[in-house]
Amino acid sequence: MIHSLFLINNAGDLFLEKHWKSVISRSVCDYFFEAREKAVEPDNVPPVIRTPHHYLINIYREKIFFVSVIQTEVPPLFVIEFLHRVAETFQDYFGECSETTIKDNVVIVYELLEEMLDNGFPLATESNILKELIRPPTILRSMVNTITGSSNVGETLPTGQLSNIPWRRAGVKYTNNEAYFDVVEEIDAILDKSGTTVFAEIQGVIDACVKLSGMPDLTLSFMNPRLLDDVSFHPCVRYKRWESERVISFIPPDGNFQLMSYHISAQNLVAIPIYVKQNISFFETGSSGRLDITVGPKQTMGKTVECLVVTVHMPKVVLSANLSATQGTYNYDPVTKILLWDIGKLNPQKLPNLKGSLSLQSGAPKPEENPSLNIDLKIQQLAISGLKVNRLDMYGEKYKPFKGVKYVTKAGKFQVRT
Amino acid sequence: MLSPWFLCRNEDLKEMLESNKESLKLEAMKRIVGLIAKGKNASELFPAVVKNVASKNIELKKLVYVYLVRYAEEQQDLALLSISTFQRALKDPNQLIRASALRVLSSIRVPIIVPIMMLAIKEAATDLSPYVRKTAAHAIQKLYSLDPDQKEHLIEVIEKLLKDKSTLVAGSVVMAFEEVCPDRIDLIHKNYRKLCNLLVDVEEWGQVVIIHMLTRYARTQFVSPWREDAVFDENSAKAFYDSEEERRVDQSKPYIMDPDHRLLLRNTKPLLQSRNTAVVMAVSQLYWHLAPKHELSIITKSLVRLLRSHREVQYIVLQNIATMSIQRKGMFEPFMKSFYVRSTDATHIKTLKLEILTNLANEANISTILREFQTYVKSQDKAFAAATIQAIGCCATNISEVTDTCLNGLVLLLSNRDETVVAESVVVIKKLLQTQPSQHSDIIKHMAKLFDNITVPMARASILWLMGEYCEHVPKIAPDVLRKMAKTFTDEEDIVKLQIVNLAAKLYLTNSKQTKLLTQYILNLGKYDQNYDIRDRTRFIRQLIVPNEKSGALSKYARRILMAPKPAPVLQSAFKDRDRFQLGTLSHTLNSQASGYLELSDWPAVAPDQSVRNVEVVEPVRLPCIYLVFKDNVKNFDAVSWPVCVSLQASSPVFVPETSHELLHRMTGKGLSAQYRFTRQPCIYGNSMVSLQLTLSNSTDQALENIHISEKSSTGQNIHRFNAIERLEPQASVTVSMGVDFNDSTQAANFQLCTKEDEFSVSIQPAVGELLLPITMSEADFTKEQGKLVGMNESSATITMTPENVSSQSVNRKVVSVANLGVIPSGQENIYRFSGKTVSSGSLVLVSVVLKDPDAVITINTEKTVMGSMLLRQVKTALTNSGP
């Protein structure tokens, strides 16, 4: 399956290599570099590259390319999914997955990669198990380790590896038993010039942070499970209970994990929380243009819209922008051609507005298409689909846990065409 | 090339490795691993590193393993020094150490140790720990790639491991099967149903591999479920002229799906809800290749869901959807909007989405799609805009209603400022006109009108070509265009000039009266052009069309050469031929066969023997039926084979008796009856509890409600109650699990079983053998422990054995059926040893049976003397009784 892994940064430096079978020369990455150059943008690099003797499957994450070398037929998604799991594990262990943290923790990274794959086939990918085999670094532990010479490698086989509950470690103990659930919904939408919705849907996830002692068996039920159209679950969830009773029944992993993700059925009309009035125009002569954007609340269910950010990818000919914002700050980066307007909280009484002129490269023809706007926003205490958690019950343990549910709505891929 | 600095560094490391301090060694190893990670050569340090292979420090040891696996191939002789360490570790009582020793040993790619590896694998394949067996499955592939000659032996091991019932092993052994002997389909037959049933509980990566393998298997073993529709179609066609009889024959054997085929489809379906995109894709391709067409729609939603995932996942999923959407438009049409392109998508994702939208287009939705395309054409990403134009062309040819609209739209694009857009439009218009050569004179006239405003040379050239090609359809306009071109000839670009010459030649042949002079003028201009290509072409054309004495036979055919009907270019999807590959594979993504690709066979015309998959239940080891009952009720509750937190190494029960005991008779229970049995599994509700399984049945004719165990327990035992059963339908029964802490005594547990109306006192009296859990230990440990538990902790008895009980099998079977004990492999033939521990206190219970023909001495050593003597009595009865 996976033969080797190379980590390459955005500048094209290969900074880590790991082989699970015979060593493959790093010159195989030349094919990748060739494709990388041709693609210009890192996002455009094809995920699967063919070379005379190998296949390279790569992902791009956190400004790092994870390039894996494959020799024989394998489902490409298998490799891609695994590489993302590796990146997530790094993030879990080191707080972020960046070139510096990987370089700083190269020994732990190597130990992790060694445990995650055996002969190219995934061995242990559950974070609960990995953490028992290889303890994540903390400042305190690294100090203790240097003084006492003790190691951060577990000596016994994690019990989870062997049971039918491979995602939970045994002997969990907390003084405060708590279980928190975050219902996070994202609105994906495309609005056209006139503000009508071309396409809109809601995707949601339930992130959990469960810190409960022993072997709790939890059941989460919804007030309106019928809203959920398509769901996918963490392996701990019992499919059969969901199919028959529409409740989520599971023995949770310890710590943070994503319990489920869902899609709201297309029959439901999606409430669009804001409207955008915009007017961007470029003049035929004088190499200049005008820009005028106003944002206002639409269907917010009485909540405030926060963290509102408008991003515009300007055409290449726009040299600079001379604008004034009634609220928040704006910034135009002439290199990446990105105009970023950070509005913050949306005040319905005084609508934020960004207005001014754009100067274009002289002599160049005016751009044909107006750039589209990407919107980012956040609404606390609201799940836009109306999904509500009904109750959380715990079986199997005696204590009373502390329970909490939080709702957040965010903009996903929210685009306004102009 | 070694710099002095590097040498010195290597020396430093060597010194550190040879020091006495563990921490220094560890530090050195960490630096070496850092070097390996950077791809630097650290092979020089091999002798110094390999010395530490037997280190006690587990982290140091692991790092040495990392190093060893990396460099053993280059330093074969030195690597051999470490082998004995691993051989010793293979016998270690700790399963983690056994497993990691096998992992490293099998990763050392040195041909000389092949026999040692083979032996180690064979041994590990029968190990009691499933984790070690999993490692053995991985080692099979490693050995196979090192020495393919071992294939036959390895297949034997695979065969053995395929029978394994642990979910941990299943994925790995199927992987080994796929790599070593994918053609030995016969090995799967007996394990097919087990694999289907285990699938939900196998870890994600194993699921992907098993699903792919089962897809291939099913295509060889079952008949096509698609025949249904085909037969139906044929029937209706035949009905007109075929005799009645024949039709009856056809209908008399309707398609019935093999239950095993159905089992596979049913058991994979829930996995569509997996969070792992590879699993979802695997199930989708299984349904695509195996399910009846009308069941296919369930995969659509899940596939569309995957589009929310990472960019790379989207790419693969979109490719597969593209292939599917060619054959089955209907599947994805309701989700059309999910394929709308965003300006932030990567280019390859944009083109794939376009491809799919084009495939989905039909009469009903074409207007929506075209409106969407209009936005894309204006995109700043010009490559994408060009692709959109091609997509419009495709839609136009596929759906005749919109051909004209599309053409008009494309003609408008000719005035675009961007060269690629114009060029692409002209090319697409050209293609469209060629496919519909009858009613295009309007468009050509229109293009001639626009011609003056179009500046892009490529577009001008293409239009001129069109004029020439269809000059007979526009007899008035073409000569006029030529006249205009004659005026501007000298100012035109080269490609335009070539086409002017071309147009002139064609017009000369069709309409020489009007254009003779013009053509000669143009040919004269071309003759003195600066570009030699144009001069060449002019000379060639002149010879061809203007007959003179030198031109010979060729000019006779001038008309046929220039005006030959040209084949219309075919506009078809790039994904048309991809369906020859199994979906979801690398070969499908690349559209060419990757090495190691396993062909999906066609359905057999007649199904092979179905009975090959029947499994006769002979092994008394865990009974699969029990397992399944469990599975349906409480998926993850069931076989937690390895208990949590035990100091002694526990193992799975050797034997699980099927006998149930009556808890409540239906007469006393007013129609509610209850039976219980001991599952002999570690209880998940508490470490000191005995796990029980209750089967409650309702034999009344009305539903019983709220069945539960009342809170108050009359005796002191700690009972974990099952969750109240809200409703039990008449004649239905339900199985629940509960745990009771018997406190290592055989005192009965009394409690109240309640329904909504009644309360029944019931009691569970455990046999002493059920208060134990099996553990494994080596023979030496057994003797050592036995030595500690003497005096009053020992009880023994001598019995006379019945002759049929003397065989080793029957002694083992008898003892483990009485008590939940583990069997210890014994070196002596006439001594049998069993070990276990009490559930509540965890005290050791050791049983040994020594045969001295015809007598036998049973000895039981345990701190719990009461239990010891009771157990002795039971073992005694079991061994003296004849019968099974």
Side-chain angles (χ1 to χ4, degrees), chain B residues 656-834:
Chain B
V656 182
E658 245 183 311
T659 47
S660 302
H661 312 273
E662 182 126 294
L663 185 65
L664 181 65
H665 191 263
R666 63 187 163 90
M667 300 309 285
T668 21
K670 299 181 185 168
L672 175 70
S673 70
Q675 302 212 303
Y676 68 93
R677 50 176 288 268
F678 294 93
T679 60
R680 292 196 168 180
Q681 304 288 347
C683 184
I684 53 163
Y685 307 115
N687 286 332
S688 57
M689 286 192 178
V690 174
S691 158
L692 282 160
Q693 192 181 322
L694 282 189
T695 308
L696 302 159
S697 335
N698 180 1
S699 50
T700 60
D701 45 7
Q702 38 195 281
L704 292 171
E705 283 176 15
N706 192 22
I707 304 173
H708 63 280
I709 295 175
S710 101
E711 292 290 326
K712 44 184 192 289
S713 158
S714 43
T715 43
Q717 286 97 342
N718 186 3
I719 297 177
H720 181 93
R721 296 165 186 82
F722 56 86
N723 300 336
I725 298 160
E726 278 173 25
R727 190 179 165 84
L728 188 60
E729 295 299 332
Q731 305 308 327
S733 64
V734 64
T735 309
V736 291
S737 61
M738 60 182 285
V740 180
D741 185 354
F742 286 105
N743 263 326
D744 289 350
S745 101
T746 52
Q747 201 197 356
N750 297 322
F751 54 91
Q752 313 278 327
L753 190 61
C754 311
T755 63
K756 201 175 168 195
E757 289 95 18
D758 297 294
E759 280 191 15
F760 310 104
S761 295
V762 291
S763 75
I764 294 178
Q765 172 94 46
V768 64
E770 304 297 349
L771 302 177
L772 304 174
L773 279 177
I775 55 175
T776 52
M777 53 169 70
S778 67
E779 209 176 337
D781 286 342
F782 186 92
T783 343
K784 205 172 94 195
E785 293 294 332
Q786 206 175 20
K788 287 183 199 161
L789 293 165
V790 288
M792 63 176 288
N793 289 336
E794 184 174 283
S795 45
S796 66
T798 313
I799 54 160
T800 319
M801 299 278 283
T802 43
E804 65 263 34
N805 280 353
V806 175
S807 76
S808 68
Q809 248 187 340
S810 76
V811 173
N812 279 349
R813 202 177 58 229
K814 294 253 171 181
V815 176
V816 296
S817 63
V818 169
N820 190 13
L821 291 170
V823 182
I824 289 169
S826 167
Q828 293 138 291
E829 247 182 47
N830 55 345
I831 303 181
Y832 303 100
R833 297 187 173 91
F834 307 90

Side-chain angles (χ1 to χ4, degrees), chain B residues 34-66:
Chain B
L35 289 178
I36 297 177
K38 283 197 205 102
K40 299 236 166 69
N41 186 7
S43 62
E44 266 191 34
L45 295 160
F46 202 94
V49 173
V50 86
K51 272 183 213 159
N52 291 306
V53 74
S55 165
K56 283 274 171 288
N57 182 324
I58 198 138
E59 185 170 24
L60 179 59
K61 199 162 163 163
K62 279 204 168 170
L63 295 179
V64 174
Y65 286 179
V66 168

Side-chain angles (χ1 to χ4, degrees), chain B residues 405-417:
Chain B
T405 335
C406 288
L407 266 176
N408 290 334
L410 289 171
V411 169
L412 286 181
L413 285 177
L414 291 177
S415 34
N416 196 293
R417 221 179 291 112

Side-chain angles (χ1 to χ4, degrees), chain B residues 14 82 86 154 261 312 459 494 611 701 707 759 786 818 871:
Chain B
K14 221 176 261 180
S82 62
F86 297 119
L154 289 173
H261 189 171
E312 299 84 8
D494 290 347
S611 62
D701 45 7
I707 304 173
E759 280 191 15
Q786 206 175 20
V818 169
L871 189 60

Side-chain angles (χ1 to χ4, degrees), chain A residues 282-288 364 366, chain B residues 417:
Chain A
F282 300 105
F283 304 126
E284 209 60 73
T285 51
S287 16
S288 69
K366 79 164 186 138
Chain B
R417 221 179 291 112

Side-chain angles (χ1 to χ4, degrees), chain B residues 579-590:
Chain B
D579 55 353
R580 64 200 159 114
F581 294 112
Q582 187 176 355
L583 290 186
T585 59
L586 184 61
S587 306
H588 174 266
T589 297
L590 297 169

